[in-house]
């Protein structure tokens, strides 16, 4: 499971500051400026937003420092500069802005604009997580899941993922499902895994959709239902997720949950293969090799085998090795798929 440490979307401004009923004059001015900044960001007028932010940031307004940091990190209205963004996040974090605490933690964890330091990242994630920020809870859970900056602790990972998942954060719901699915201990639960995959899938999280489909296809956590599997694979595949495209191609090739259709299998394998999905590249090569769903074309088959081998597919590597052996050159590639040719989760 890969991970990108997450920031709070830059369009969110602190509600408390904007709604304070009896604000001192300076704070009232800040609130008015922040409303203007929010309007500029909403209309994608980032240059105006930066011009409005700078005086507030120079005066030490934590929220302005954070939002200016986000714009600087993304290069919106100002030259992109990860180091400057990290400095702004740190200043805002030290002033107590919880979004900035998560952003500064993310910079430390990813090494973006600052030297990587997982231990310090965990400290800042915890500050924001304990104040209820879902993304910080998710990030802290990830550090515990992988033992980065904190002891590796599956129970702690589940605890923090659960807090964020219960707030509706789709990434946390997916990661919680993944943890329950792949746990080697007493936490393993297909039933809990599908519950959280479904929550995230309903929010259009493509990895969760792919994994939910896998659970239906394999009969894990649910009764086996290939038709439902196809429905969820299709949702993720149509949004461009390569693994789901490969899996959907497999379902069409095998006639699982849909009528067998080699042309559609080739179509979905090709979409995934063009995104460098190695299993799809191997499968597409095999379709050309056998003339299934496409006219037989051994040179095209070899091209896809080589791409798949380059991207780490073990079956493709075996085919290329066999083709490179003078004794095997005249032989066709394997006519049957290897055992791992099946729908996959990630």
């Amino acid at each position: 499971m890969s991970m990108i440490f997450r920031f709070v979307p830059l369009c969110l401004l602190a509600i408390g500051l904007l709604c304070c009923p009896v604000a001192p004059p300076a704070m009232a001015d800040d609130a008015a400026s922040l409303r203007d900044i929010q309007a500029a960001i909403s209309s994608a007028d980032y240059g105006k937003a930066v011009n409005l932010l700078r005086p507030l940031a120079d005066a030490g307004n934590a929220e302005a420092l954070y939002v200016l940091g986000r714009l600087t990190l993304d290069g919106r209205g100002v030259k992109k500069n990860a180091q400057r963004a990290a400095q702004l996040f740190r200043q805002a974090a030290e002033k107590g802005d919880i979004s900035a605490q998560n952003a500064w933690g993310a910079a430390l964890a990813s090494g973006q604009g600052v030297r990587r330091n997982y231990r310090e990242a965990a400290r800042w994630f915890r500050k924001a997580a304990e104040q209820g920020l879902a993304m910080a809870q998710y990030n802290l859970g990830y550090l515990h899941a992988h033992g980065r900056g904190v002891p590796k602790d599956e129970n702690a990972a589940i605890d923090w993922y659960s807090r964020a998942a219960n707030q509706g954060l789709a990434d946390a719901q997916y990661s919680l499902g993944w943890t329950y699915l792949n746990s080697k201990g007493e936490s393993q639960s297909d039933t809990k895994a599908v519950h959280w995959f479904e929550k995230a899938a309903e929010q259009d999280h493509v990895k969760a959709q792919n994994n939910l489909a896998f659970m239906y296809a394999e009969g894990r956590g649910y009764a086996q239902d290939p038709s439902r599997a196809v429905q969820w694979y299709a949702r993720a595949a149509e949004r461009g997720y390569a693994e789901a495209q490969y899996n959907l191609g497999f379902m069409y090739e095998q006639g699982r949950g849909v009528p067998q259709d080699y042309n559609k299998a080739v179509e979905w394998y090709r979409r995934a293969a063009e995104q460098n999905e190695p299993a799809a590249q191997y499968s597409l090569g095999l379709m050309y090799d056998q003339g299934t769903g496409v006219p037989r074309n051994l040179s095209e088959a070899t091209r896809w085998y080589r791409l798949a081998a380059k991207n780490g597919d073990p079956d493709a590597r075996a085919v290329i090795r066999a083709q490179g052996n003078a004794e095997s050159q005249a032989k066709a590639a394997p006519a049957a798929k290897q055992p791992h040719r099946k729908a996959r989760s990630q």
Side-chain angles (χ1 to χ4, degrees):
M1 178 179 60
S2 62
M3 168 68 184
I4 299 175
F5 290 97
R6 300 292 302 278
F7 298 101
V8 174
L10 62 84
C11 61
L12 298 182
L13 298 176
I15 301 301
L17 180 59
L18 302 184
C19 301
C20 181
V22 183
M27 184 175 288
D29 290 344
D30 286 359
S33 296
L34 287 168
R35 284 194 293 272
D36 291 341
I37 292 163
Q38 178 69 80
I41 290 172
S42 297
S43 62
D45 189 347
Y46 299 116
K48 179 179 179 180
V50 168
N51 289 334
L52 292 170
L53 281 163
R54 279 178 171 149
L56 291 178
D58 290 343
N61 181 286
E63 187 170 12
L65 287 163
Y66 165 67
V67 177
L68 184 58
R70 285 302 315 274
L71 293 172
T72 303
L73 183 66
D74 296 336
R76 295 180 178 180
V78 64
K79 185 177 180 180
K80 188 173 184 177
N81 187 326
Q83 290 182 329
R84 176 58 179 156
Q87 292 171 358
L88 291 164
F89 291 148
R90 181 173 186 171
Q91 290 176 50
E94 289 173 345
K95 290 178 177 293
D97 186 279
I98 63 170
S99 296
Q101 289 169 349
N102 178 68
W104 174 231
L108 288 163
S110 63
Q112 191 171 26
V114 66
R115 185 175 180 178
R116 177 173 284 167
N117 186 330
Y118 285 121
R119 181 171 301 200
E120 190 68 2
R123 186 171 77 85
W124 285 102
F125 285 148
R126 187 177 297 277
K127 283 180 179 289
E130 289 177 344
Q131 295 177 74
L133 187 66
M135 286 183 183
Q137 293 168 340
Y138 166 56
N139 287 337
L140 185 57
Y142 177 83
L143 293 185
H144 277 292
H146 295 271
R148 296 182 179 176
V150 289
K152 189 172 183 177
D153 186 335
E154 185 174 83
N155 290 331
I158 287 173
D159 176 42
W160 287 111
Y161 283 155
S162 295
R163 296 190 199 194
N166 284 320
Q167 292 194 62
L169 186 64
D171 282 340
Q173 292 168 343
Y174 163 75
S175 295
L176 186 55
W178 177 262
T179 303
Y180 281 127
L181 177 63
N182 291 282
S183 175
K184 303 302 182 184
E186 61 183 19
S187 295
Q188 202 289 325
S189 171
D190 287 355
T191 301
K192 290 180 179 179
V194 298
H195 169 79
W196 289 110
F197 286 150
E198 187 166 29
K199 290 282 190 184
E202 288 170 349
Q203 297 193 65
D204 284 332
H205 191 291
V206 292
K207 288 188 177 182
Q209 290 172 339
N210 180 71
N211 284 8
L212 184 61
F214 175 83
M215 302 298 273
Y216 273 117
E218 300 298 309
R220 296 186 60 177
Y222 293 122
Q224 193 172 46
D225 189 338
S227 295
R228 289 284 287 162
V230 167
Q231 290 172 14
W232 282 110
Y233 281 142
R235 284 183 62 172
E238 287 165 0
R239 294 185 62 219
Y241 186 49
E243 180 122 356
Q245 292 171 337
Y246 161 73
N247 286 333
L248 186 57
F250 173 83
M251 300 298 275
Y252 274 111
E253 184 185 358
Q254 298 297 310
R256 293 191 62 200
V258 287
Q260 191 173 54
D261 188 328
Y262 294 132
N263 292 330
K264 284 190 176 292
V266 168
E267 175 190 343
W268 286 110
Y269 284 152
R270 189 182 305 280
R271 291 195 193 188
E274 289 173 349
Q275 294 192 66
N276 273 336
E277 213 293 322
Q281 291 171 332
Y282 171 80
S283 293
L284 185 57
L286 198 56
M287 301 297 269
Y288 275 110
D289 199 350
Q290 298 171 332
T292 307
V294 287
R296 193 170 191 233
N297 186 326
L298 296 183
S299 63
E300 189 70 358
T302 298
R303 183 173 79 88
W304 286 111
Y305 287 147
R306 286 177 176 166
L307 284 169
K310 181 181 178 181
N311 287 318
D313 187 273
D315 291 346
R317 286 176 173 174
V319 170
I320 296 301
R321 282 196 300 268
Q323 289 180 340
N325 186 324
E327 181 180 336
S328 304
Q329 290 225 349
K331 297 182 181 179
K337 292 193 185 303
Q338 300 300 315
H340 89 281
R341 300 294 96 174
K342 64 178 184 179
R344 300 185 304 161
S345 65
Q346 180 173 320

